[in-house]
Amino acid sequence: MKFPVQFTTRLEPKEAFHFFFYGTLFRTVFFVPFLLIVGFALAFYTVYTAGIRDPFVYLSFWIFFTPLLSLGILFNVWRMSSKAKNKKGEPLFYQPIRVMLYANRLRISYPGKNPYNLPFDRITRSLETKKYFIFFVAKNVLFIRKQDVPNQETNEFLRKTLKPRKLYFGY
């Protein structure tokens, strides 16, 4: 592969939900287990304070509270994406991003901003979905649409180098 490989990617307003969804739920590996633990703790507290000692009731309440918490989180993700769509002016994640791919780093530049060199070892997590490569760097999220990547060889290089975890649901 001949470096640098240059391409431009951009998230559309209709993709805001995906941005907030993946950015919230998959930022760390601890989020989903934490959600399960909080659901269990809430169920345990509710049932125990009611004086019920039946384990089936504990399990039933856990099964009830965990999706309820998940719905609350999904509502918040939907609210944030709706707010971003209706925002006057264009949020930074809708701006076109020019990406230059090198053997050991990405060079990212937004319009009106200084270019930023991102070494691959600074990427804390990487995910791959049907439509996106998602890279987490500290508290930031970088989305690259697969349709914007110039060729299959570049896709394979990103997969081999960054070893993204494959998500088998969603977009």
Side-chain angles (χ1 to χ4, degrees), residues 13-14 30 36 48 50-51 59 63 67 72 82 129 142 145-146 149:
K14 64 182 178 181
F30 302 113
L36 292 171
Y48 187 77
L59 183 64
I63 290 171
S82 295
T129 66
L142 173 64
R145 291 191 307 187
K146 287 183 178 179
V149 177

Side-chain angles (χ1 to χ4, degrees), residues 45-59:
Y45 176 76
T46 304
V47 174
Y48 187 77
T49 56
I52 301 170
R53 302 287 184 255
D54 184 12
F56 180 74
V57 175
Y58 283 97
L59 183 64

Side-chain angles (χ1 to χ4, degrees), residues 34-151:
F34 178 75
L35 182 67
L36 292 171
I37 290 169
V38 169
F40 178 77
L42 190 58
F44 183 82
Y45 176 76
T46 304
V47 174
Y48 187 77
T49 56
I52 301 170
R53 302 287 184 255
D54 184 12
F56 180 74
V57 175
Y58 283 97
L59 183 64
S60 300
F61 270 75
W62 187 22
I63 290 171
F64 172 75
F65 279 126
T66 302
L68 194 64
L69 290 170
S70 301
L71 284 174
I73 292 167
L74 285 175
F75 175 74
N76 194 38
V77 166
W78 172 80
R79 186 184 56 78
M80 288 187 302
S81 67
S82 295
K83 191 184 288 187
K85 287 180 198 173
N86 299 329
K87 186 176 181 181
K88 292 195 179 0
E90 210 171 32
L92 187 60
F93 56 87
Y94 292 154
Q95 300 284 330
I97 304 168
R98 196 173 109 224
V99 179
M100 292 186 72
L101 177 65
Y102 295 92
N104 61 350
R105 64 186 162 98
L106 293 169
R107 185 171 178 86
I108 304 163
S109 58
Y110 293 95
K113 303 273 184 192
N114 290 332
Y116 176 73
N117 286 318
L118 176 61
F120 289 147
D121 60 354
R122 295 234 10 249
I123 296 174
T124 55
R125 286 193 84 200
S126 58
L127 301 173
E128 179 183 359
T129 66
K130 292 177 189 174
K131 291 186 174 183
Y132 309 107
F133 285 111
I134 306 164
F135 304 119
F136 295 93
V137 182
K139 294 188 178 207
N140 299 316
V141 181
L142 173 64
F143 266 64
I144 296 177
R145 291 191 307 187
K146 287 183 178 179
Q147 71 185 32
D148 297 334
V149 177
N151 54 37

